[in-house]
Amino acid sequence: MDVHEVLLPGVGLRYEFDNSEGDRIGVIAKRAGDFEVVLYAAEDPDAAQPLFHLNAEEAEALAQILGAPRIAERFADLTHEVPGLDAGQVAVAVGSPYADHPLGDARVRTRTGASIVAIVREEEVLPSPGPADVLHPADVLVVIGTADGITQVEHIFAKG
């Protein structure tokens, strides 16, 4: 799918794409952090009908709702394309020595060769977590690595 990005000086960015039904959808990302979602009329591509407005918090919630399944799909696709690469989900056990500690304390990549590419916390997805991100009991870690590496990650975050 082609997404066209247009700079709107003083306003922000507009992203446009055609959906499968032939409608032209626009998302205007304003500099202030809010978003407008619009539908362009087929007979006049310059006329946009506002569909809805999202403040920054609402936009983040929608992005997480739409993004969580897509993150998993992308990693699943990647593991099919690269022999020996797997994706897994590892829960941070209640009582894990790394619960309520920064991710970096576990030194996962150094110890296992696997990478934690997202943290799923209830309904929230934290993509590309950094070493300072604090883990909570019951977080689910999205892990990319070898099957053995993922198993080692499971042992790291098991109950101590």
Side-chain angles (χ1 to χ4, degrees):
M1 174 178 293
D2 291 328
V3 177
H4 302 281
E5 183 177 314
V6 178
L7 178 62
L8 302 173
V11 177
L13 290 170
R14 180 178 65 217
Y15 301 91
E16 300 173 343
F17 63 94
D18 294 326
N19 70 9
S20 61
E21 296 176 6
D23 296 322
R24 186 143 192 88
I25 308 293
V27 177
I28 301 166
K30 296 183 179 179
R31 293 176 63 196
D34 56 330
F35 296 82
E36 292 288 334
V37 179
V38 299
L39 176 65
Y40 293 97
E43 60 277 355
D44 184 359
D46 293 326
Q49 172 189 355
L51 295 178
F52 55 91
H53 175 268
L54 297 170
N55 65 30
E57 184 179 13
E58 294 162 341
E60 178 67 25
L62 181 59
Q64 293 203 12
I65 290 166
L66 297 175
R70 297 206 53 190
I71 288 171
E73 287 173 13
R74 286 181 183 160
F75 290 129
D77 290 345
L78 179 62
T79 61
H80 293 301
E81 294 175 19
V82 181
L85 187 63
D86 287 320
Q89 296 183 4
V90 175
V92 177
V94 174
S96 166
Y98 298 104
D100 299 316
H101 290 272
L103 174 61
D105 287 2
R107 298 178 30 247
V108 170
R109 191 172 311 137
T110 302
R111 294 167 65 184
T112 69
S115 295
I116 296 173
V117 296
I119 299 171
V120 180
R121 181 173 296 142
E122 296 176 6
E123 301 299 318
E124 183 179 10
V125 176
L126 306 169
S128 303
D133 286 314
V134 176
L135 298 173
H136 297 222
D139 279 354
V140 175
L141 310 175
V142 179
V143 183
I144 299 291
T146 64
D148 183 54
I150 294 169
T151 299
Q152 290 177 46
V153 173
E154 290 172 346
H155 293 297
I156 290 171
F157 292 103
K159 186 174 181 176

